[in-house]
Amino acid sequence: MGGLTSAAGVVGFLSEPDPELQIFALRMLNEQIDSLWTEVAGSVGEIEALYEDPSFPERELAALVAAKVYYNLQEYNESMVFALGAGKLFDLDHEGEFEDTIISKCVDTYIALSGTTPPTNSSQPPARLTTAFPSVTNGASSTSASLASPTTPFSQSTLPSKSLLSRQGSSTFDPSLQAGGGLAVLPTSVASQGSVQRQLNDIINQLFERCYREGRYRQVVGIAVEARKLDVLRRTILRASEDEKRENKAADTDSIGRGEELMEYVLEICMDVVQEHGLRNELLRLILDLLHEIPSPDYFSIARCIVYLNDHSLASEILSLLVKKGDSKSLAIAYQIAFDFYDNSTQNFLKKVGEELPATPEPPTSQPKDAENATEDANGENAQETDRLLQAPSDTSGDPGPSIQGSAERREPLSPEAAKAFDSIREILQGTKSIELDLEFLYRNNHTDASILNKIKDSLEARNSIFHTAVTLANAFMHAGTTNDKFFRDNLEWLGKAVNWSKFTATAALGVIHRGNLGQGQKLLDPYLPKDTITGSNTGSAYSQGGSLYALGLIYANHETLALDVIREHFKRATEEVVQHGGALGLGVAGMATGDQGIYEDLKNVLYTDSALNGEAVGIGMGLIMLGTGDIKALEDMIQYAHDTQHEKIVRGLALGMALIMYGRQEGADELVNGLLDDPDSILRYGGIQTLALAYCGTGSNKAVRKLLHVAVSDVSDDVRRVAVMSLGFILFRKPNSVPRMVELLSESYNPHVRYGAAMALGISCAGTGLDEAIDLLEPMIKDPTDFVRQGALIALSMIMVQQNEAMNPKVGTIRKTLQKAIGDRHEDAMTKFGSALSMGIIDAGGRNCTISLQTQTGNLNMAGIVGMTVFTQYWYWFPLTHFLSLSFTPTSVVGLDQDLEVPSFKFHSATRPSLFDYPPEQETKTEDAPEKIKTAVLSTTAQAKRRAQKKEKQQRRESMDIDQTPTTPKISNLGDKMETDEPAAKTEEDKDGEKQDGTKKEGEEAKDAPAQTEGLRKKMEKEKVGYSLENMSRVLPAQLKFVSFPDGRYEPVKKPTGGVILLTDTTPSEPKALMELKARKNTKPAAAPETLQDRVTAAFNQQDAAGGRTQESSGAAEAVGVLTAVDEDEEGGEEAPVPNEFDYHSDEPQGEE
């Protein structure tokens, strides 16, 4: 039959009473509806009437024709409804645009309708703040508004409703209200009629079955996660495993099965895509259940799930299970998981895991421990009120079987091997082993270029406190964790120029340099610590005492030891505000995330004294102690006092403290964020932005990004706008490639604060990546007319370029020269010089062995790094907080340990050229850099006299009829005189003027030289052999890890190398093994005795010979005691600044008037 050219006759059959004619018309239209739909559209009502007539025999055919008509009319919702009514006539296997469109529409509707079902664990409402925020008059939303999206001016419908990145909370999600985007307003028949929903489920099940047959399991997994259908997810993973067994492809035990591969895929979705705590935890628990059902599960995936669920009971159970297996491979896996727990968990979590591990004492000791834990949980109820938002159930809410079984197993006597293994695991969980290995690596591989630091010191005037602080910070960052404080010993005279807070910062720098020196840290700082006033009238400088408490906290950062008790005792006894200031910071750093109520109360008591000097530090310390706990009572206390006090510094410290308490809480922090952002006080709004940044750090949350961008262009406070742009870096640091595009326009803003925020956002998010797009945006900002924008651009560049060499990024050499030029330029502003010095320390952090990382090697959030970076950004208000950046320094190492937790001597292979990831070359010390003698100026009269004498001599020679013509020697000497006097002087002046007037001249020359240097480096790399061996405890950059292998047949890693500590299995344990000597431990032992240092507390800095050579061999900390602990007093004959002249001013008013 030929094709119809007109549908008029066929459409007329639809009005006939004979059903056979109507069926004939429907069949004809169904075959050629794509060309005739324009004529059929007017009669679609008749087709619908046939579908709704229960007596019509071909209702499904009528529904199919109606669906195609509505499809061509682009009414996709109606088309989907009638396609569902078509039943079997709607063929999923038929490939066409109509079928594909309807299928995608069915999937979207399925996801939207499933989102209306309440979550399974919604019986516990989240805890709410009872503190009332002051209302504002601009009509802002109240704190009781919906917590799902704090964005008022942007509607949720601007994004596709099916996106997990921006979906509203399940309790408020209504698909019928979702207009626009990928899903228009749903017809009421879909939401109300159960028959339509059953048909929809049938279509989806058919789609799933087709995906199973074709092996497209990931598509089903994606739909199931979007729709929150955990039963479908479980069925899909099990079906994949069954299909694989049916196909007999699971014979190879070394290969990863389909089920395991799907679980890894779901785990990636949980970590990178899903942002809702409830759904994430449900998925993680499902993965845990499925992993336990596998005969040989991936224990490292289980450990990642446990860390995110914050379930310490499961953590102790998996460690106990692995240890009690008894084989060496399981023991190595247990040790590796313990190291991963330490890298990715809080102190509170690790402490509970260690307590729940089987112990050697008698069984009755477990009962009081359980009772103690019960009372502790009862006392700390307020501290965990918002843990419901994390939906991490207690021990009783999990599987009761394993918990009871585990408690029974603890009462069983342990074998000596198991007891030793559990003791080793406790040592690992305490962090002692990891810190010791990091210290050894940094000490062993220290490649700090001392000439750079000396050049910074010589270029900056030490009597200016900002410059002295800049050199101190640069020294601290360059030698962070290396225990090398030689710079202080070699520059005691320079160190003696530190006064007041510069002395505080210099003393605290010892904590950065000796960070992780657990064995000798307290002994090194003992002479600086506060002394009892009874022992003598002169107890030393209060600034060095406060700085020593701060330094002690930095040494034992995020490591709860006896040092925390020492700091606490000094803090409670202190009466000087400066000492309390340093003690509060030290307590916060050392007791980070412990949730210790006693320390919190001690800090709160000092806060209530209403001292502006120590109030800021106390507020930050309170936030650090309660880091990530979401403690409602602490938040209410801090909010109330922030409204009561009149000191801005206290309000600023409390605002940051509240943000720290809400670290990682995501939706649980929305109420606090809304309240703080609606506050009329700009400092509290500043804190609201920080709360938003820390609550959603690393999530890439769209709603958080929209809120930050809105505040960045709308708030009236420059400080709030600056931190809003800067906070984009915290939200998006897992997606660094997206940040340059997002802040590109903001970097060109008219507001310098916004430009500074854009620069810092690039530095925070792209730290250590060497991203070219970020560098291209920052390079023009180096020449910004505003000094603090230049400062931020330089700091951001150093963060991005850390551990980069010429082979990895050719621009690193130019950037280093730019930093040095800014420091040496006498016309540069002080703030820019400060930023340059700071940047020189950051780019060579930790002896060029550390990178800046806000996530751990395994991909989890680096809590200490994020906190350190957050507090570091407050250097804008308070320079001593700059030391917190050292918490973000992550050693880039590969440290192999055997089953005995010893460091064997072996080599591993890197399949790259050696120069690709090599250390940057040290700066060449040119002889030209030495100060040259100033050439004697030659007066014009002298030059004329010389020329006159030469002319006279020439004439005399002619008169004597000398055979020789005009001699060349006098001519040369004449030119030489000119070169030494007039011409070179003019030339150098012209060069200087050229540099001042047109600074692009030398930069252009450097730009011309850069391609030549790059070409030479490329040729050098081409000559190098690909592949080389590295010793254990060598530097391995993150980008280098994928090229690392272990060809040594004896030692094999238990998991894929991710950097840091890697447990190795010894394939030939019977053979003797060679161990590496730990040099750092050996070097730190010969420290000076405390008595000798105590005798030098009140000594002048020039009495270093009294202690002999022993102190010189020990450390610079011992040498600097007499300098830093000396009380700042007026010295006889000392030079004083002309203070009265600084207060001279001219008034416009007549002098007689007052």
Side-chain angles (χ1 to χ4, degrees), residues 563-609:
L564 187 62
D565 298 330
V566 173
I567 301 173
R568 185 178 178 184
E569 287 301 319
H570 284 297
F571 177 76
K572 291 168 68 174
R573 293 202 306 261
T575 56
E576 292 279 349
E577 292 181 338
V578 179
V579 180
Q580 291 176 340
H581 182 96
L585 294 176
L587 280 175
V589 178
M592 189 185 302
T594 56
D596 192 311
Q597 289 289 341
I599 298 177
Y600 172 79
E601 291 296 330
D602 293 340
L603 292 168
K604 188 170 69 172
N605 293 335
V606 176
L607 174 71
Y608 287 164
T609 60

Coordinates of all heavy atoms in Angstrom, one line a residue, residues 563-609:
A563 N 51.4 16.1 76.3 CA 51.7 17.5 76.1 C 50.4 18.3 76.2 O 50.4 19.5 76.6 CB 52.3 17.7 74.7
L564 N 49.2 17.7 75.9 CA 48.0 18.4 76.0 C 47.7 18.8 77.4 O 47.2 19.9 77.8 CB 46.8 17.6 75.4 CG 45.5 18.2 75.3 CD1 45.5 19.4 74.4 CD2 44.4 17.2 74.8
D565 N 48.0 17.9 78.4 CA 47.9 18.2 79.8 C 48.8 19.2 80.2 O 48.5 20.1 81.1 CB 48.1 16.9 80.6 CG 47.0 15.8 80.3 OD1 45.9 16.2 79.9 OD2 47.4 14.6 80.3
V566 N 50.0 19.2 79.7 CA 51.0 20.3 80.1 C 50.5 21.6 79.6 O 50.6 22.6 80.4 CB 52.4 19.9 79.4 CG1 53.4 21.1 79.6 CG2 53.0 18.6 79.9
I567 N 50.1 21.7 78.4 CA 49.6 23.0 77.9 C 48.4 23.5 78.8 O 48.2 24.6 79.1 CB 49.2 22.9 76.4 CG1 50.4 22.5 75.6 CG2 48.6 24.3 75.9 CD1 50.0 22.2 74.1
R568 N 47.5 22.5 79.1 CA 46.3 22.9 79.9 C 46.7 23.4 81.2 O 46.1 24.4 81.7 CB 45.4 21.6 80.0 CG 44.1 21.9 80.6 CD 43.2 20.6 80.7 NE 42.0 20.9 81.3 CZ 41.0 19.9 81.6 NH1 41.3 18.7 81.1 NH2 39.9 20.2 82.2
E569 N 47.7 22.8 81.9 CA 48.1 23.2 83.2 C 48.6 24.7 83.1 O 48.3 25.5 84.0 CB 49.1 22.3 83.8 CG 48.5 20.9 84.3 CD 47.4 21.1 85.3 OE1 47.6 22.0 86.2 OE2 46.4 20.5 85.2
H570 N 49.5 24.9 82.2 CA 50.1 26.2 82.0 C 49.0 27.2 81.7 O 49.0 28.4 82.2 CB 51.1 26.2 80.9 CG 52.4 25.6 81.3 ND1 53.2 26.1 82.3 CD2 53.1 24.5 80.9 CE1 54.3 25.4 82.5 NE2 54.3 24.4 81.6
F571 N 48.0 26.8 80.9 CA 46.9 27.7 80.5 C 46.1 28.1 81.7 O 45.7 29.3 81.9 CB 46.1 27.1 79.4 CG 44.9 27.9 79.0 CD1 45.0 29.0 78.2 CD2 43.6 27.6 79.5 CE1 43.9 29.8 77.8 CE2 42.5 28.3 79.1 CZ 42.7 29.4 78.3
K572 N 45.8 27.1 82.6 CA 44.9 27.4 83.8 C 45.7 28.3 84.8 O 45.0 29.1 85.5 CB 44.5 26.1 84.4 CG 43.6 25.3 83.5 CD 43.4 23.8 84.0 CE 42.7 23.8 85.3 NZ 42.4 22.4 85.7
R573 N 47.0 28.1 84.9 CA 47.8 28.9 85.8 C 48.1 30.3 85.3 O 48.5 31.2 86.1 CB 49.0 28.2 86.2 CG 48.8 26.9 87.0 CD 50.1 26.6 87.8 NE 51.3 26.5 87.0 CZ 51.8 25.4 86.5 NH1 51.2 24.2 86.7 NH2 52.9 25.4 85.7
A574 N 48.0 30.5 84.0 CA 48.5 31.8 83.4 C 47.6 32.9 83.9 O 46.4 32.8 84.0 CB 48.5 31.6 81.9
T575 N 48.3 34.0 84.1 CA 47.6 35.3 84.4 C 47.8 36.3 83.3 O 47.0 37.3 83.1 CB 48.1 35.9 85.7 OG1 49.5 36.0 85.7 CG2 47.7 34.9 86.9
E576 N 48.9 36.2 82.6 CA 49.2 37.1 81.5 C 48.3 36.8 80.3 O 48.1 35.6 79.9 CB 50.7 37.0 81.1 CG 51.7 37.5 82.1 CD 51.8 39.0 82.1 OE1 51.3 39.6 81.1 OE2 52.5 39.6 83.0
E577 N 47.8 37.8 79.7 CA 46.9 37.6 78.6 C 47.6 37.0 77.4 O 47.0 36.2 76.6 CB 46.2 38.9 78.2 CG 45.2 39.4 79.2 CD 44.6 40.7 78.8 OE1 45.1 41.4 77.9 OE2 43.5 41.0 79.3
V578 N 48.9 37.4 77.2 CA 49.6 36.9 76.0 C 49.8 35.4 76.2 O 49.7 34.6 75.3 CB 51.0 37.6 75.9 CG1 51.8 37.0 74.8 CG2 50.8 39.1 75.7
V579 N 50.1 34.9 77.4 CA 50.3 33.5 77.7 C 49.0 32.8 77.5 O 49.0 31.7 76.9 CB 50.9 33.3 79.1 CG1 51.1 31.8 79.4 CG2 52.2 34.1 79.3
Q580 N 47.9 33.3 77.9 CA 46.6 32.7 77.7 C 46.3 32.6 76.2 O 45.7 31.7 75.7 CB 45.5 33.5 78.4 CG 45.6 33.4 79.9 CD 44.5 34.3 80.6 OE1 44.0 35.2 80.0 NE2 44.2 34.0 81.9
H581 N 46.7 33.6 75.5 CA 46.5 33.6 74.0 C 47.2 32.5 73.4 O 46.6 31.7 72.6 CB 47.0 35.0 73.4 CG 46.8 35.1 72.0 ND1 45.7 35.8 71.4 CD2 47.5 34.7 70.9 CE1 45.8 35.8 70.1 NE2 46.9 35.1 69.8
G582 N 48.5 32.3 73.7 CA 49.3 31.2 73.1 C 48.8 29.9 73.6 O 48.7 28.9 72.9
G583 N 48.4 29.8 74.9 CA 47.9 28.5 75.5 C 46.6 28.1 74.8 O 46.3 26.9 74.6
A584 N 45.7 29.1 74.5 CA 44.4 28.7 73.8 C 44.7 28.1 72.5 O 44.0 27.2 72.0 CB 43.5 30.0 73.8
L585 N 45.6 28.8 71.7 CA 45.9 28.2 70.4 C 46.5 26.9 70.5 O 46.2 26.0 69.7 CB 46.8 29.2 69.6 CG 46.2 30.6 69.3 CD1 47.2 31.5 68.6 CD2 45.0 30.4 68.3
G586 N 47.4 26.7 71.4 CA 48.1 25.4 71.6 C 47.1 24.3 72.0 O 47.2 23.2 71.5
L587 N 46.2 24.6 72.9 CA 45.2 23.6 73.3 C 44.3 23.2 72.1 O 44.0 22.1 71.9 CB 44.3 24.2 74.4 CG 44.8 24.2 75.8 CD1 43.9 24.9 76.8 CD2 45.0 22.8 76.3
G588 N 44.0 24.2 71.3 CA 43.1 23.9 70.1 C 43.8 23.0 69.1 O 43.2 22.1 68.6
V589 N 45.1 23.3 68.9 CA 45.8 22.5 67.8 C 46.1 21.1 68.3 O 45.9 20.2 67.6 CB 47.1 23.2 67.5 CG1 47.9 22.4 66.5 CG2 46.9 24.6 66.9
A590 N 46.5 21.0 69.6 CA 46.9 19.7 70.1 C 45.6 18.8 70.4 O 45.6 17.6 70.2 CB 47.7 19.8 71.3
G591 N 44.5 19.5 70.8 CA 43.3 18.8 71.2 C 42.3 18.8 70.1 O 41.1 18.7 70.4
M592 N 42.7 18.9 68.9 CA 41.7 19.1 67.7 C 40.8 17.9 67.6 O 41.2 16.8 67.6 CB 42.6 19.2 66.4 CG 41.8 19.6 65.2 SD 42.8 19.5 63.7 CE 44.1 20.7 64.2
A593 N 39.5 18.3 67.6 CA 38.4 17.3 67.4 C 38.3 16.2 68.5 O 37.7 15.2 68.3 CB 38.5 16.6 66.1
T594 N 38.8 16.5 69.7 CA 38.7 15.6 70.8 C 37.3 15.7 71.5 O 36.9 14.7 72.1 CB 39.8 15.8 71.9 OG1 39.7 17.2 72.3 CG2 41.2 15.6 71.3
G595 N 36.7 16.9 71.4 CA 35.4 17.0 72.1 C 35.5 17.0 73.6 O 34.5 16.7 74.3
D596 N 36.7 17.4 74.1 CA 36.9 17.3 75.5 C 36.1 18.5 76.2 O 36.4 19.7 76.0 CB 38.4 17.5 75.8 CG 38.8 17.2 77.3 OD1 38.1 17.7 78.2 OD2 39.7 16.4 77.5
Q597 N 35.2 18.1 77.0 CA 34.3 19.1 77.7 C 35.1 19.9 78.8 O 34.9 21.1 79.0 CB 33.1 18.4 78.4 CG 32.1 17.9 77.4 CD 31.3 19.1 76.7 OE1 31.3 20.2 77.2 NE2 30.7 18.8 75.6
G598 N 36.1 19.2 79.4 CA 36.9 19.9 80.4 C 37.7 21.1 79.8 O 37.7 22.2 80.4
I599 N 38.4 20.8 78.7 CA 39.2 21.8 78.1 C 38.2 22.9 77.5 O 38.6 24.1 77.6 CB 40.0 21.2 76.9 CG1 41.0 20.2 77.5 CG2 40.8 22.3 76.2 CD1 41.8 19.5 76.4
Y600 N 37.1 22.5 77.0 CA 36.1 23.5 76.5 C 35.7 24.5 77.6 O 35.6 25.7 77.4 CB 34.9 22.8 75.9 CG 33.8 23.7 75.5 CD1 33.9 24.5 74.3 CD2 32.7 23.9 76.3 CE1 32.8 25.4 74.0 CE2 31.7 24.7 76.0 CZ 31.8 25.5 74.8 OH 30.7 26.3 74.5
E601 N 35.4 23.9 78.8 CA 35.0 24.8 79.9 C 36.1 25.7 80.4 O 35.9 26.8 80.7 CB 34.5 23.9 81.1 CG 33.3 23.1 80.8 CD 32.1 24.0 80.6 OE1 32.1 25.1 81.2 OE2 31.1 23.7 79.9
D602 N 37.4 25.2 80.4 CA 38.5 26.1 80.8 C 38.6 27.2 79.8 O 38.8 28.4 80.2 CB 39.8 25.3 80.7 CG 39.8 24.2 81.8 OD1 39.1 24.3 82.8 OD2 40.6 23.2 81.7
L603 N 38.4 27.0 78.5 CA 38.5 28.0 77.5 C 37.3 29.0 77.7 O 37.5 30.2 77.6 CB 38.5 27.4 76.1 CG 39.8 26.7 75.7 CD1 39.5 25.9 74.4 CD2 40.9 27.6 75.5
K604 N 36.2 28.5 78.0 CA 35.0 29.3 78.1 C 35.1 30.2 79.3 O 34.7 31.4 79.3 CB 33.7 28.5 78.2 CG 32.4 29.3 78.2 CD 31.2 28.4 78.0 CE 31.0 27.6 79.3 NZ 29.7 26.8 79.3
N605 N 35.7 29.7 80.4 CA 35.9 30.6 81.6 C 36.8 31.8 81.3 O 36.6 32.9 81.7 CB 36.5 29.8 82.7 CG 35.5 28.7 83.2 OD1 34.3 28.9 83.1 ND2 36.1 27.6 83.8
V606 N 37.9 31.6 80.5 CA 38.7 32.7 80.1 C 38.0 33.6 79.1 O 38.2 34.8 79.2 CB 40.0 32.1 79.5 CG1 40.9 33.3 79.0 CG2 40.8 31.3 80.5
L607 N 37.1 33.0 78.3 CA 36.4 33.9 77.3 C 35.5 34.9 78.1 O 35.4 36.0 77.7 CB 35.5 33.0 76.5 CG 34.6 33.7 75.5 CD1 35.3 34.4 74.4 CD2 33.6 32.7 74.9
Y608 N 34.9 34.4 79.2 CA 34.0 35.3 79.9 C 34.7 36.4 80.7 O 34.0 37.2 81.3 CB 33.2 34.4 80.9 CG 32.1 33.6 80.2 CD1 31.5 32.5 80.9 CD2 31.7 33.8 78.9 CE1 30.5 31.7 80.2 CE2 30.8 33.1 78.3 CZ 30.2 32.0 78.9 OH 29.2 31.3 78.3
T609 N 36.0 36.4 80.7 CA 36.7 37.6 81.3 C 36.6 38.8 80.3 O 37.0 39.9 80.7 CB 38.2 37.2 81.5 OG1 38.8 36.9 80.3 CG2 38.3 36.1 82.6

